[in-house]
Amino acid sequence: MKKNRFNTYLDEDLSKKMTAAMELCDAGSESEFIRNAVEFYIGYIFSEKSADYLSPIITDTMKEIQYSYEQRVSEMLFKTAVELSKINHVLADSFRIPRNYLEGLTAQTAREVAENNGIIHLEQYVNGGDHHAEADH
Protein backbone atom coordinates (compact mmCIF):
# COMPACT_ATOMS: atom_id res chain seq x y z
CA MET A 1 0.00 0.00 0.00
CA LYS A 2 1.35 3.40 -0.99
CA LYS A 3 1.82 5.83 1.88
CA ASN A 4 1.53 9.60 1.61
CA ARG A 5 3.81 11.84 3.59
CA PHE A 6 2.48 14.78 5.62
CA ASN A 7 4.39 17.40 7.51
CA THR A 8 2.74 17.98 10.85
CA TYR A 9 3.52 20.55 13.48
CA LEU A 10 2.37 20.08 17.05
CA ASP A 11 2.75 22.50 19.92
CA GLU A 12 4.96 21.32 22.77
CA ASP A 13 2.09 20.46 25.14
CA LEU A 14 0.29 18.29 22.55
CA SER A 15 3.60 16.63 21.63
CA LYS A 16 4.17 15.69 25.31
CA LYS A 17 0.63 14.29 25.55
CA MET A 18 1.23 12.25 22.40
CA THR A 19 4.49 10.82 23.80
CA ALA A 20 2.72 9.84 27.06
CA ALA A 21 -0.18 8.30 25.14
CA MET A 22 2.18 6.34 22.87
CA GLU A 23 3.43 4.44 25.91
CA LEU A 24 -0.15 3.55 26.88
CA CYS A 25 -1.17 2.19 23.46
CA ASP A 26 2.14 0.54 22.49
CA ALA A 27 2.58 2.59 19.33
CA GLY A 28 6.01 1.87 17.86
CA SER A 29 6.50 5.33 16.40
CA GLU A 30 4.94 8.75 16.18
CA SER A 31 3.80 7.92 12.65
CA GLU A 32 2.00 4.78 13.86
CA PHE A 33 0.40 6.73 16.70
CA ILE A 34 -0.77 9.49 14.34
CA ARG A 35 -2.15 6.92 11.85
CA ASN A 36 -4.09 5.21 14.67
CA ALA A 37 -5.35 8.55 15.96
CA VAL A 38 -6.47 9.63 12.49
CA GLU A 39 -8.25 6.29 11.90
CA PHE A 40 -9.95 6.58 15.29
CA TYR A 41 -11.07 10.14 14.60
CA ILE A 42 -12.39 9.25 11.16
CA GLY A 43 -14.36 6.37 12.71
CA TYR A 44 -15.69 8.75 15.34
CA ILE A 45 -16.85 11.25 12.69
CA PHE A 46 -18.60 8.55 10.66
CA SER A 47 -20.22 7.08 13.76
CA GLU A 48 -21.54 10.53 14.68
CA LYS A 49 -23.09 10.80 11.22
CA SER A 50 -24.53 7.30 11.59
CA ALA A 51 -25.92 8.17 15.03
CA ASP A 52 -27.51 11.32 13.61
CA TYR A 53 -29.18 9.15 10.98
CA LEU A 54 -30.04 6.14 13.14
CA SER A 55 -31.21 7.88 16.34
CA PRO A 56 -34.50 9.20 14.91
CA ILE A 57 -35.16 5.86 13.18
CA ILE A 58 -34.59 3.91 16.41
CA THR A 59 -36.70 6.37 18.41
CA ASP A 60 -39.57 6.21 15.90
CA THR A 61 -39.41 2.41 15.83
CA MET A 62 -39.51 2.21 19.63
CA LYS A 63 -42.49 4.59 19.71
CA GLU A 64 -44.33 2.43 17.16
CA ILE A 65 -43.61 -0.73 19.17
CA GLN A 66 -44.82 0.94 22.36
CA TYR A 67 -47.99 2.23 20.67
CA SER A 68 -48.71 -1.21 19.21
CA TYR A 69 -48.19 -2.83 22.62
CA GLU A 70 -50.46 -0.28 24.30
CA GLN A 71 -53.16 -0.93 21.70
CA ARG A 72 -53.00 -4.70 22.22
CA VAL A 73 -53.06 -4.41 26.01
CA SER A 74 -55.98 -1.97 25.86
CA GLU A 75 -57.95 -4.29 23.58
CA MET A 76 -57.30 -7.28 25.86
CA LEU A 77 -58.29 -5.30 28.96
CA PHE A 78 -61.51 -4.21 27.24
CA LYS A 79 -62.34 -7.81 26.26
CA THR A 80 -61.58 -8.97 29.81
CA ALA A 81 -63.82 -6.26 31.27
CA VAL A 82 -66.67 -7.30 28.95
CA GLU A 83 -66.33 -10.94 30.05
CA LEU A 84 -66.18 -9.95 33.72
CA SER A 85 -69.30 -7.81 33.30
CA LYS A 86 -71.13 -10.77 31.75
CA ILE A 87 -70.13 -12.98 34.67
CA ASN A 88 -71.30 -10.35 37.16
CA HIS A 89 -74.67 -10.11 35.42
CA VAL A 90 -75.12 -13.91 35.48
CA LEU A 91 -74.18 -14.08 39.16
CA ALA A 92 -76.43 -11.18 40.10
CA ASP A 93 -79.34 -12.72 38.19
CA SER A 94 -78.73 -16.19 39.67
CA PHE A 95 -78.09 -15.52 43.37
CA ARG A 96 -79.42 -13.20 46.01
CA ILE A 97 -76.25 -11.87 47.57
CA PRO A 98 -76.62 -9.62 50.63
CA ARG A 99 -75.06 -6.18 50.17
CA ASN A 100 -73.02 -6.40 53.40
CA TYR A 101 -71.49 -9.70 52.25
CA LEU A 102 -70.56 -8.14 48.92
CA GLU A 103 -68.96 -5.12 50.64
CA GLY A 104 -66.91 -7.39 52.92
CA LEU A 105 -65.94 -9.54 49.97
CA THR A 106 -64.78 -6.49 48.03
CA ALA A 107 -62.45 -5.40 50.83
CA GLN A 108 -61.12 -8.93 51.35
CA THR A 109 -60.49 -9.62 47.68
CA ALA A 110 -58.77 -6.27 47.22
CA ARG A 111 -56.32 -7.24 50.00
CA GLU A 112 -55.81 -10.72 48.52
CA VAL A 113 -55.10 -9.38 45.05
CA ALA A 114 -52.63 -6.86 46.50
CA GLU A 115 -50.89 -9.61 48.51
CA ASN A 116 -50.50 -12.03 45.59
CA ASN A 117 -49.92 -9.45 42.83
CA GLY A 118 -53.12 -10.45 41.04
CA ILE A 119 -52.20 -14.12 40.67
CA ILE A 120 -55.42 -15.92 41.48
CA HIS A 121 -56.04 -19.66 41.49
CA LEU A 122 -59.52 -21.13 41.81
CA GLU A 123 -58.09 -23.96 43.90
CA GLN A 124 -57.52 -21.48 46.74
CA TYR A 125 -61.26 -20.98 47.10
CA VAL A 126 -62.61 -24.50 46.52
CA ASN A 127 -63.58 -26.89 49.33
CA GLY A 128 -63.34 -24.70 52.40
CA GLY A 129 -60.50 -22.38 51.56
CA ASP A 130 -60.02 -19.52 54.01
CA HIS A 131 -61.61 -16.99 51.68
CA HIS A 132 -64.79 -16.69 53.75
CA ALA A 133 -63.09 -15.52 56.92
CA GLU A 134 -64.33 -11.92 56.71
CA ALA A 135 -67.04 -12.18 54.09
CA ASP A 136 -69.31 -14.81 55.68
CA HIS A 137 -72.99 -14.27 55.08
Side-chain angles (χ1 to χ4, degrees), residues 76-89:
M76 292 308 299
L77 287 172
F78 178 81
K79 290 176 181 180
T80 302
V82 168
E83 292 302 313
L84 182 59
S85 181
K86 288 180 352 188
I87 291 169
N88 285 340
H89 279 281

Side-chain angles (χ1 to χ4, degrees), residues 100-112:
N100 63 343
Y101 171 77
L102 188 58
E103 289 169 358
L105 187 60
T106 300
Q108 178 185 347
T109 55
R111 278 192 304 279
E112 289 173 355

Side-chain angles (χ1 to χ4, degrees), residues 56-89:
I57 292 172
I58 292 170
T59 301
D60 290 345
T61 302
M62 294 302 295
K63 285 180 181 177
E64 288 175 22
I65 291 169
Q66 179 182 359
Y67 177 77
S68 174
Y69 177 75
E70 288 171 350
Q71 289 300 112
R72 280 186 260 144
V73 168
S74 295
E75 289 171 9
M76 292 308 299
L77 287 172
F78 178 81
K79 290 176 181 180
T80 302
V82 168
E83 292 302 313
L84 182 59
S85 181
K86 288 180 352 188
I87 291 169
N88 285 340
H89 279 281

